Amino acid sequence: MASAPPTADALSDPNNPLVNISCFDLLLIELVPLAERMARAFEASLDGHSLGSPASPTSKRGTSGATSNPSTTTHSSSTATGANSAVGAGAGSPAPVPSGTGIVLAADGLPSTTIFRDSVYVRLERLGFRVGEGLSERFSCDRPRFTDQLDVIKFLCKDLWTVVFKKQIDNLKTNHRGVFVLTDNKFRPFARMSMTTHADAVARAQPHLYFPCGIIRGVLSSLGIKATVQAETAELPSATFQIKTAQAKP
């Protein structure tokens, strides 16, 4: 027997569980590894392009009969071999990194480079931005127009945070100059996260903050506020989000 479609009141209620929260948790957990796999593939493609491809300028010069330096050619070949072996190691089980080196590892066990980290951040933050825009448009359409930035932030902390994470923000601080600090003492994505050491836990937890940062920025953008959002965690399962609006003053 088919169930009746939800009523308009049910759709506008932020506490109405239209999506199973466990399924949403699993989706959030998988987003970071997916973004890291895509970023690793993108990084590997950049490495392959920089090493020289059939369409690269270096190859074209070689086929046109230009004189090449033998030592340079030998060096490029050895570099390509080393890079290819590194990419091959990424496809299987990577070599372990000695402890105490200060190297941050991604979920795939490979060192996290600048290109890799930036790519992961952009993918997750933009996904969150689109979700935040949709949530804002969906749950603010029946509300009175917001009069100032603080009302928008309160709407984010109470209504929308409850929609996504089933609880409100625990603490909100502002300098009344366009800077807001939101603290969630029990951030839901961190609830079941545990690592061998505190430093490892904080490092691995950081990418899970990129998607929520995008949600916050998307909500604010949809309501006419341009802002930058940064997040950090010093102790799991808490998370702190800092919002700097375009009107922020030092």
Side-chain angles (χ1 to χ4, degrees):
M1 179 177 179
S3 58
T7 63
D9 292 338
L11 290 174
S12 61
D13 182 8
N15 296 310
N16 185 35
L18 300 178
V19 179
N20 185 284
I21 188 61
S22 297
C23 295
F24 185 66
D25 287 344
L26 293 175
L27 174 62
L28 292 180
I29 291 173
E30 182 58 27
L31 273 180
V32 173
L34 174 62
E36 291 187 335
R37 289 194 295 269
M38 296 176 67
R40 187 65 71 190
F42 173 71
E43 185 183 37
S45 67
L46 289 181
D47 291 340
H49 179 72
S50 63
L51 292 173
S53 61
S56 66
T58 304
S59 300
K60 290 181 179 179
R61 286 196 299 269
T63 56
S64 63
T67 304
S68 59
N69 189 335
S71 60
T72 304
T73 304
T74 303
H75 176 72
S76 300
S77 300
S78 62
T79 305
T81 303
N84 289 335
S85 62
V87 174
S93 57
V97 176
S99 60
T101 57
I103 299 176
V104 179
L105 299 182
D108 56 8
L110 295 175
S112 178
T113 63
T114 302
I115 295 177
F116 174 81
R117 289 192 299 270
D118 291 347
S119 181
V120 171
Y121 173 80
V122 169
R123 294 173 191 278
L124 292 174
E125 204 272 348
R126 287 183 177 178
L127 283 174
F129 181 85
R130 296 186 63 183
V131 171
E133 281 188 321
L135 287 173
S136 177
E137 294 171 0
R138 176 67 188 84
F139 291 101
S140 67
C141 59
D142 297 328
R143 298 177 60 96
R145 181 179 296 274
F146 297 103
T147 57
D148 55 25
Q149 290 184 351
L150 185 57
D151 288 339
V152 175
I153 298 297
K154 289 181 178 179
F155 169 67
L156 167 67
C157 294
K158 294 180 179 180
D159 296 80
L160 293 188
W161 212 255
T162 301
V163 170
V164 180
F165 300 113
K166 300 306 176 185
K167 66 183 295 294
Q168 297 182 4
I169 285 289
D170 296 299
N171 190 19
L172 167 62
K173 296 181 180 179
T174 178
N175 64 354
H176 299 285
R177 296 180 179 179
V179 178
F180 303 88
V181 178
L182 285 56
T183 303
D184 190 334
N185 295 328
K186 294 182 179 179
F187 188 49
R188 189 176 183 91
F190 293 167
R192 298 178 179 86
M193 185 177 294
S194 62
M195 297 293 171
T196 55
T197 64
H198 176 267
D200 186 32
V202 171
R204 297 297 180 92
Q206 189 64 33
H208 292 267
L209 295 172
Y210 300 158
F211 182 78
C213 282
I215 291 180
I216 294 175
R217 194 171 67 87
V219 170
L220 299 180
S221 176
S222 176
L223 297 175
I225 299 177
K226 294 183 179 180
T228 59
V229 184
Q230 295 179 332
E232 64 179 2
T233 177
E235 187 71 32
L236 298 183
S238 67
T240 302
F241 301 86
Q242 184 183 75
I243 302 171
K244 290 185 179 180
T245 65
Q247 294 79 21
K249 300 178 180 179

